[in-house]
Every structure is written in C-alpha cells, then in structure tokens.
C-alpha cells in the first residue's frame, strides 16, 4: 500500500506542493490512515488543514483502495524551539 500512496502523491499532490515551494513526507500508514508531515514553505502554512482535507486526503481516498483518512502531523523541531527560546531570552535580557 505504501508504494500506491507514494505513486498517487508523486503524480497528483507533490507537483502542486512543489509549485508553492513545499513538499510532504509520509510518516506512517496504519489501518487506512496516512499520517504525513508538510515540509518547506508548506510547513506551518495557515492553509495546511485545507490542503490536507481538500487535496491530499481527497486524492488518496479516491485513488488508493483502503485509505480512509490523511492526517497532518504538526510538530516543531528541537532546533526551532531552541531558536525561539534564545530570541525570548535576548528580549527579556535586553
């Protein structure tokens, strides 16, 4: 099933994401649910939920038998957290 999901993403989803400077990574596929992360300019985009529902989930559910849902996993890297803490620390000291 992973290969089918990747093929659909490569043909129908990734070209659109790339046109906006973004990309996506499939994290896992379990029980018909695809969990993924948006990358590049798409990461943290205010329209990410809409992109998930209207583009990614629609294409996967329609084109890959057994896929029921696509879930966007939003997490923040430790490097980004450390950078934010440093900015706040500097503002507090300065």
């Amino acid at each position: 099933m992973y290969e089918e999901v990747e093929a659909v993403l490569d043909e129908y989803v990734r070209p659109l994401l790339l046109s906006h400077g973004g990309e996506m990574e499939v994290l896992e596929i379990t029980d018909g649910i695809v969990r993924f992360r948006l990358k590049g300019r798409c990461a943290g985009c205010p329209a990410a939920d809409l992109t998930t529902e209207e583009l990614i989930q629609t294409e996967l559910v329609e084109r890959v038998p057994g896929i029921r849902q696509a879930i966007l996993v939003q997490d923040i890297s430790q490097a980004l957290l450390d950078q934010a803490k440093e900015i706040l620390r500097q503002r507090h000291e300065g």
Side-chain angles (χ1 to χ4, degrees), residues 24-38 48-49 51-53 56-58 60-61 67-74:
M24 68 175 294
E25 170 188 16
V26 174
L27 301 173
E28 69 175 341
I29 303 170
T30 308
D31 299 325
I33 299 173
V34 177
R35 287 181 173 76
F36 67 93
R37 176 181 299 124
L38 292 174
D49 290 334
T51 298
T52 298
E53 186 175 327
I56 298 168
Q57 181 168 282
T58 298
L60 290 175
V61 169
I67 296 298
R68 300 180 292 117
Q69 187 177 13
I71 297 175
L72 172 62
V73 175
Q74 296 187 15

Side-chain angles (χ1 to χ4, degrees), residues 6-24 36 38-43 45 47-48 50-60 62-63:
E6 286 292 333
V8 167
L9 295 174
D10 285 346
E11 186 171 349
Y12 299 100
V13 176
R14 286 192 172 107
L16 294 170
L17 296 177
L18 287 170
S19 72
H20 292 272
E23 174 58 284
M24 68 175 294
F36 67 93
L38 292 174
K39 298 164 62 175
R41 285 187 167 166
C42 291
C45 171
L50 183 62
T51 298
T52 298
E53 186 175 327
E54 295 295 322
L55 173 63
I56 298 168
Q57 181 168 282
T58 298
E59 292 294 344
L60 290 175
E62 288 181 4
R63 299 179 186 280

Side-chain angles (χ1 to χ4, degrees), residues 4 17 28 76 89:
E4 291 176 81
L17 296 177
E28 69 175 341
I76 300 171
R89 186 187 62 73

